[in-house]
Amino acid sequence: LSLIYGAIVRILILFYCFNPRRLRCKVISVGNITLGGTGKTSLVEYIARYLKQQGHEVAILSRGYKRKTIDYRPLTMDYLTMGDEPFMLANKLGDIPVIVDADRIRSAKKAMEDYQVDTVLLDDGFQQWRIIKDLEIVTIDSTDPFGNRHLLPRGILREPLSSLRRADILVLTKTNLNPDTVDLQDVLSRINPSALIVESIHQPLGFYNINQLDELLNVEILKGGTVTLVSGIGDPDSFENLIISLGINIGPAFRFPDHYNYSVEDLKKIMEASQNKNVDAVVTTEKDAVRFHRLPITDYRLPILCLRIELKITKNENEFRSRLLSLCSL
């Protein structure tokens, strides 16, 4: 099945790359070559903020994975119609438009016409072969870069590793959880000697109550305490390891599928398990937090806290920013 999948991917790449579309703005793609949470959404947020600070008009284009709305029409600000990641980005970025549409060419035209942008960011854009990109960025999870190095469904690769030759920049994420990246960088350099390799970490900023997004609590507030962890993300191990690195003990841990839509019954089970273990709080991720808002969380005394993180580049940040600015200044 992996051989069949690989053959189909190669055919699609050849088909779509035969006559790709050039957009009338700069196109920066941020994607990955594997399934699972590699940190690309955090990098999209980083790039969007930086370019906005430098005076550029930027929009984020997302297909809104697992959203309820299928056909293209004006979207309400809701995770059900936008998808959890675009909705999270829209809430955090405020004045930077996040446009959701499976057709990235159509959403790019909307961004240029409605918001007069000079740059669009393709969130999860590595497999967007129809569009000519001015900068191709691929995020790689340093804790599990390529799985068993096999294509789906035998492994976690969405494309053959040779596809990394298309990348201009390779961003290693979560290096705080796996600081020894020498061997990984050697592999990447052999595949793509010309790509800039950047290292980054997911830096905890603090906690906030799920109902009080603007009030950030100190990151040390739960140190030495015990919490219930709840996550429905692509890489729950990294989230749990990050909590442990903050000196927090993990009691019950609930792992749900990525993009999971929480129910009232799920919330009840989580709270009952937490009360039985006498934990201090329920802790979840920012991506999960947007999927809790429709639930009756105020019915329970135990607080639900969200860990706010940001991507911080620890190696080659100046070179990375120079590539962004030189591209967007052309």
Side-chain angles (χ1 to χ4, degrees), residues 22-49:
R22 166 70 72 179
L23 302 180
R24 292 180 293 103
C25 63
K26 297 300 178 184
V27 179
I28 299 174
S29 167
V30 179
N32 53 24
I33 198 170
T34 61
L35 292 179
T38 60
K40 61 178 175 53
T41 303
S42 298
L43 183 60
V44 167
E45 179 185 348
Y46 173 98
I47 295 171
R49 287 189 190 278

Side-chain angles (χ1 to χ4, degrees), residues 5 26 56 72 164 270:
Y5 173 86
K26 297 300 178 184
H56 293 279
Y72 178 72
L164 290 175
I270 291 166

Side-chain angles (χ1 to χ4, degrees), residues 37-46 139-143 170-181 198-205 238 242 245-246 286 307-317 320:
T38 60
K40 61 178 175 53
T41 303
S42 298
L43 183 60
V44 167
E45 179 185 348
Y46 173 98
T139 55
I140 296 173
D141 181 354
S142 64
T143 66
L170 301 170
V171 178
L172 308 186
T173 60
K174 310 173 191 175
T175 59
N176 50 324
L177 301 178
N178 181 30
D180 186 6
T181 63
V198 174
E199 293 187 13
S200 69
I201 64 172
H202 281 167
Q203 179 170 279
L205 299 180
S238 292
L242 197 58
S245 72
L246 296 173
E286 290 184 279
L307 177 64
R308 177 165 290 168
I309 63 169
E310 70 173 5
L311 183 134
K312 180 180 179 181
I313 295 180
T314 56
K315 183 179 179 181
N316 291 334
E317 182 172 41
F320 181 71

Side-chain angles (χ1 to χ4, degrees), residues 75-105:
L75 298 169
T76 56
M77 281 285 288
D78 188 289
Y79 86 89
L80 291 174
T81 57
M82 292 186 72
D84 50 10
E85 290 175 348
F87 182 63
M88 178 187 73
L89 285 172
N91 277 331
K92 294 180 73 175
L93 295 172
D95 58 347
I96 296 176
V98 179
I99 302 174
V100 178
D101 189 352
D103 188 331
R104 305 292 182 101
I105 295 175

